[in-house]
Amino acid sequence: SDVCSSDLTTITGAGLTLGAVTTAYSGSVAAGNVISQNPAAGTSVSLGTSVDIVVSLGPTPPTGLGGVVSAGLVVKSGNTVSH
């Protein structure tokens, strides 16, 4: 997953390094934005400390619709329904 360049600049500009980057679904954080970080913002750390971040994949995809989710569309019983 790509990390927003402004997030990376913020981390490296503070004398820190980018640690593990993981992803998670979020209904409240837009895809590509950072959901959380460790250590948390405002924590005092040494220069060079790694900052692990979780990047949003956007909302959880719908499940249990009895169709196939592909390219943002749900296809069910031969009909195409916007998702």
Side-chain angles (χ1 to χ4, degrees), residues 13-64:
L16 306 173
T17 60
L18 181 62
V21 178
T22 55
T23 56
Y25 291 106
S26 173
S28 60
V29 179
N33 290 333
V34 174
I35 297 171
S36 63
Q37 66 186 51
N38 184 29
T43 303
S44 293
V45 295
S46 301
L47 289 175
T49 297
S50 291
V51 178
D52 299 333
I53 62 174
V54 179
V55 178
S56 176
L57 294 172
T60 303
T63 58

